[in-house]
Amino acid sequence: MCSGLVAFLCLISVSLTAKVKWVPNTNFNLKLNFKDGRLPCPRQTVVFPESLNGIVSIETKAVVGGFVLPQDGELVFGDGDLQFGSSENSNCTETGNVYFLENSVSSWAQPDVWSSPKFNEATPDAERVPCFDDTVEFPTGSVFTISLPDEQQVVRDIKINGVSYDTRTFIDYVLHQRDQAQQFILNQYQETGIFITNKQCKSRSGCPCQVNVMRIDCSAKICSVPTCIDPIQPVGHCCKICGGVISFDVDQSFDLMTFKELVEAVIEGYGNEDLVYHIGKIENKIQLVVVNKGEYTGTSAEVVNDVNNRMQRHWVQGVKEAAISGSPLYKYGLGGKIFVSMFFAVVLVMGGVYAYYYKLPEIRLPIDIAGRPGMLSRYQRRTDSVVSLTRRDSVITTRSGISTAFRNPMYDSKRGRVVVEATADD
């Protein structure tokens, strides 16, 4: 089992052929390389780290207020044009410093270093890697340093600056690389750890993304705060999420396509286009994760619960586990506000009743009865007549046979009272 500070890439995906691109790039004109995730404004000063381990490339026009250069490092100007000072046509008016972040060395198995159309919000971090039937692409003009995997990974093709490589030519490229802007670091065994071949999946129960399991360092992942009560953490996710998950053991007779059709039918039945799902496989275990694309509404949890109830028993060959997150925080907060409001409203009403009957002093008012001035000796907020809601001898019998009675709590008031009794004429 995988555990400890280093999170695992334990779940391997049911793979579909796709293009997977390498993301890290020290190009100056990329938003991700700045601390606030935005390119600098013409009036802002760009502050570089004290030391740059790699090369920072300026490929397109850049307009900044100024540079605070590193003590040690290298900036390369390609076809880009660097201009200092504000631009009259710029709509950006922010000032101050903006910080350039150098991601000098990244790992093949690091979170969020790959992008692909097949990835969505439900895809675990452990499965956001190239699979055995994927084409790996390192974009033209990108600047990076990558540590190659320790465990051998199988891919369909590797393209570097638009040129395809097989296993032999890729090894030769890494060993004799001349492009200083793009550096590949051999693994601890002094190998590339990459095997390039055209492999096909022929199992009806699906194939794992990679046979050899890698590890992902989740300490490099920035997790957002879940917007639900009791968030879940599916296998392979570095962060807790809102939604639902089902995992179960299968054998070779399991039909992955039939299960996928069930999931899609349930989602379509909810009529919600704001749902995405991911089906992954490790060894003989299938995992389904369903989440909302945007704000969590609870629908994804309902879908997982529905799928769990509709699954056929013979699909599961061992243990089946399902988990769903709770209500959205905004609904939970609304319920709490209503409860607090009602509580204080009840307290205020009861306090008002108590003060009305027992705490207010007697009020004496001058009156004129039959033209003679005088004083009303007693004026109270309530009448001195108290009506007993039930007689002392009346009882209410419950279904359990226990006798009980209800009496007006004001019946035994110390003040005078008039008892109104029922008569035969009533």
Side-chain angles (χ1 to χ4, degrees):
M1 296 180 64
C2 304
S3 59
L5 294 176
V6 179
F8 45 82
L9 193 101
C10 279
L11 189 68
I12 308 178
S13 72
V14 178
S15 176
L16 297 175
T17 300
K19 181 181 291 185
V20 182
K21 290 186 177 181
W22 177 253
V23 175
N25 185 355
T26 57
N27 193 306
F28 180 83
N29 304 92
L30 288 181
K31 296 180 180 180
L32 347 141
N33 289 333
F34 291 89
K35 187 175 181 180
D36 58 358
R38 293 181 297 175
L39 292 175
C41 288
R43 297 182 180 181
Q44 290 183 306
T45 299
V46 178
V47 180
F48 290 92
E50 291 186 5
S51 178
L52 288 174
N53 297 317
I55 299 174
V56 176
S57 175
I58 301 178
E59 298 293 336
T60 60
K61 182 178 180 179
V63 182
V64 298
F67 272 170
V68 176
L69 297 173
Q71 295 181 0
D72 183 19
E74 184 176 356
L75 273 68
V76 175
F77 294 85
D79 297 330
D81 178 19
L82 181 62
Q83 177 181 334
F84 292 98
S86 61
S87 173
E88 296 180 357
N89 298 325
S90 175
N91 295 324
C92 186
T93 59
E94 294 186 28
T95 59
N97 296 334
V98 59
Y99 296 89
F100 184 87
L101 303 177
E102 182 194 20
N103 298 316
S104 56
V105 180
S106 300
S107 169
W108 185 284
Q110 188 174 323
D112 301 327
V113 295
W114 299 102
S115 67
S116 174
K118 69 177 183 178
F119 300 157
N120 59 43
E121 291 87 340
T123 307
D125 297 284
E127 298 183 71
R128 295 174 179 266
V129 295
C131 291
F132 68 88
D133 55 354
D134 288 336
T135 295
V136 177
E137 181 176 333
F138 294 92
T140 301
S142 60
V143 182
F144 60 84
T145 301
I146 176 175
S147 296
L148 296 171
D150 291 333
E151 299 81 11
Q152 187 181 75
Q153 302 294 289
V154 177
V155 297
R156 180 188 296 271
D157 188 20
I158 284 185
K159 290 185 177 181
I160 304 174
N161 295 326
V163 179
S164 293
Y165 293 83
D166 58 22
T167 303
R168 183 187 61 80
T169 56
F170 179 66
I171 293 174
D172 184 67
Y173 178 86
V174 172
L175 294 178
H176 302 91
Q177 54 192 325
R178 298 178 180 86
D179 189 348
Q180 298 299 316
Q182 299 178 349
Q183 296 293 312
F184 293 85
I185 302 176
L186 296 173
N187 62 24
Q188 61 179 332
Y189 308 109
Q190 295 303 302
E191 299 174 347
T192 62
I194 303 298
F195 185 73
I196 303 170
T197 184
N198 187 7
K199 180 182 177 181
Q200 302 292 330
C201 177
K202 299 179 180 180
S203 173
R204 66 182 297 182
S205 63
C207 295
C209 172
Q210 295 289 347
V211 174
N212 297 318
V213 179
M214 294 188 299
R215 294 183 177 182
I216 279 190
D217 182 11
C218 284
S219 64
K221 178 78 173 183
I222 299 176
C223 297
S224 58
V225 179
T227 58
C228 61
I229 305 300
D230 297 327
I232 60 175
Q233 188 168 7
V235 175
H237 274 273
C238 287
C239 307
K240 290 187 176 182
I241 63 172
C242 299
V245 57
I246 300 174
S247 63
F248 55 97
D249 297 319
V250 299
D251 59 17
Q252 292 299 319
S253 65
F254 174 73
D255 192 337
L256 178 63
M257 292 306 298
T258 302
F259 178 66
K260 182 178 178 181
E261 290 172 359
L262 169 64
V263 175
E264 291 179 346
V266 172
I267 291 177
E268 184 179 355
Y270 278 77
N272 195 334
E273 298 180 354
D274 191 35
L275 294 170
V276 290
Y277 73 92
H278 178 84
I279 300 176
K281 185 179 183 183
I282 176 173
E283 297 180 351
N284 295 324
K285 185 179 288 293
I286 294 290
Q287 177 174 261
L288 165 69
V289 181
V290 184
V291 301
N292 291 88
K293 286 183 182 178
E295 183 180 10
Y296 173 70
T297 61
T299 310
S300 53
E302 295 178 19
V303 167
V304 167
N305 185 60
D306 200 347
V307 171
N308 184 55
N309 293 332
R310 295 192 193 187
M311 285 179 58
Q312 300 180 28
R313 293 184 179 180
H314 70 271
W315 288 351
V316 182
Q317 300 302 317
V319 177
K320 180 179 74 170
E321 298 177 333
I324 59 176
S325 53
S327 302
L329 284 178
Y330 72 88
K331 289 186 178 180
Y332 178 80
L334 179 61
K337 292 177 181 178
I338 293 175
F339 173 79
V340 172
S341 300
M342 292 299 296
F343 174 78
F344 281 105
V346 171
V347 170
L348 289 175
V349 170
M350 295 302 295
V353 171
Y354 183 76
Y356 183 82
Y357 281 103
Y358 297 102
K359 293 298 182 180
L360 291 178
E362 295 179 354
I363 303 175
R364 294 179 177 271
L365 299 174
I367 62 172
D368 185 358
I369 300 177
R372 291 175 298 177
M375 295 295 294
L376 179 63
S377 62
R378 187 171 187 143
Y379 179 83
Q380 295 176 285
R381 297 278 184 165
R382 65 181 178 88
T383 177
D384 278 339
S385 298
V386 179
V387 179
S388 176
L389 299 182
T390 60
R391 296 203 306 262
R392 294 175 184 266
D393 58 340
S394 65
V395 297
I396 300 175
T397 303
T398 62
R399 293 183 180 180
S400 60
I402 301 175
S403 298
T404 182
F406 174 82
R407 293 181 58 199
N408 188 343
M410 297 183 291
Y411 189 81
D412 290 327
S413 172
K414 293 181 180 180
R415 301 186 180 187
R417 65 177 182 272
V418 176
V419 178
V420 180
E421 298 181 345
T423 66
D425 293 335
D426 296 336

